[in-house]
Amino acid sequence: MSGQARRPAGDNQTVSDEPTTPGPQPEPIRFFGTTWLTHDGGYGVRRAAVAVGSLLAAAAGCFVLRFAYEGLAIADVGTFVNLLVVVMFAICSALAFRRTWEGFSKRHDPASQASMRGLLTIGFVGVLLAHFFRSLTEAPGEQLHREEYERAREQYAKRATRRTGNPSRKKRKA
C-alpha cells in the first residue's frame, strides 16, 4: 500500500493515519482530543461533562474522606491525630490545586512531576477542583496547548518559506 498505514473505515473506504495538512499537528487533550482547536465536535458538551464529572468526583472524594475521619473518631485515636489528618489533607489539597492550576499554563519538568505524584494523590480533591474551575472557562490545558501549537505553526511557516526551490538547481555565479 505504498508505505501508508491504512485501516478500514466501513463501507470499503480507507482512511490514512497520516496528517491531512503539512506541518505540526495539535496535541490532543484528555477527554477533548483535538476539538479544543476549533471548538467543534461537541466541545461545549465535553467541557460541561468534565466540569460536572470533576465536581461530582470531588464531592465523592470528600464523602469518602468523611468516612475515614469517622473511622478515626470511632477508633478514638485522639484529637491530635484527627487534627493532623484534617490538616494534612487540607494542605495537600491546596498544594495539589495550585500545582495543577499552574500546569494548565506551563509545563512542569517530568522529574518534579514525578516527585509530586504522592502529594497530588493525597490532595486529589484539589486536583479535581482545579479541573472543575478551569473547565468553566476552557478545556483544562487548552491555553498551554494553543500557545505551543501556534508557536510551532509560526516556526514551521518560517522554515517552509525559507526553503523554496531546489537548492541543487541554483545557478552559480562564476
Side-chain angles (χ1 to χ4, degrees):
M1 282 197 245
S2 72
Q4 286 185 351
R6 294 183 178 260
R7 56 185 156 83
D11 298 326
N12 295 329
Q13 296 175 356
T14 56
V15 176
S16 175
D17 285 336
E18 295 182 8
T20 57
T21 59
Q25 298 300 313
E27 185 178 343
I29 298 175
R30 181 181 291 161
F31 303 124
F32 294 92
T34 57
T35 61
W36 60 266
L37 188 61
T38 56
H39 293 185
D40 62 350
Y43 172 81
V45 173
R46 291 175 190 216
R47 241 182 61 204
V50 166
V52 169
S54 60
L55 188 62
L56 288 174
C62 289
F63 193 63
V64 169
L65 289 176
R66 179 175 172 237
F67 279 134
Y69 181 78
E70 287 178 2
L72 290 173
I74 292 170
D76 196 26
V77 292
T79 307
F80 178 72
V81 173
N82 285 338
L83 183 65
L84 192 64
V85 167
V86 169
V87 169
M88 179 203 56
F89 274 106
I91 290 173
C92 288
S93 291
L95 291 173
F97 179 90
R98 181 171 181 214
R99 178 85 174 178
T100 304
W101 192 263
E102 287 174 351
F104 294 144
S105 58
K106 70 174 185 175
R107 290 208 188 261
H108 296 293
D109 63 286
S112 72
Q113 193 68 15
S115 69
M116 297 289 284
R117 188 170 293 132
L119 183 127
L120 293 174
T121 303
I122 293 170
F124 68 96
V125 174
V127 173
L128 292 168
L129 290 176
H131 276 83
F132 167 73
F133 287 118
R134 181 56 74 142
S135 63
L136 294 177
T137 57
E138 67 177 10
E142 179 180 345
Q143 175 188 2
L144 174 66
H145 284 77
R146 189 171 300 281
E147 288 170 358
E148 290 175 347
Y149 177 68
E150 293 299 324
R151 191 169 34 251
R153 293 291 292 174
E154 288 172 7
Q155 290 172 354
Y156 176 79
K158 285 180 185 177
R159 285 192 313 265
T161 56
R162 274 189 264 159
R163 291 187 280 176
T164 57
N166 188 346
S168 67
R169 290 187 181 179
K170 273 189 179 175
K171 294 180 183 177
R172 298 184 184 227
K173 294 182 182 179

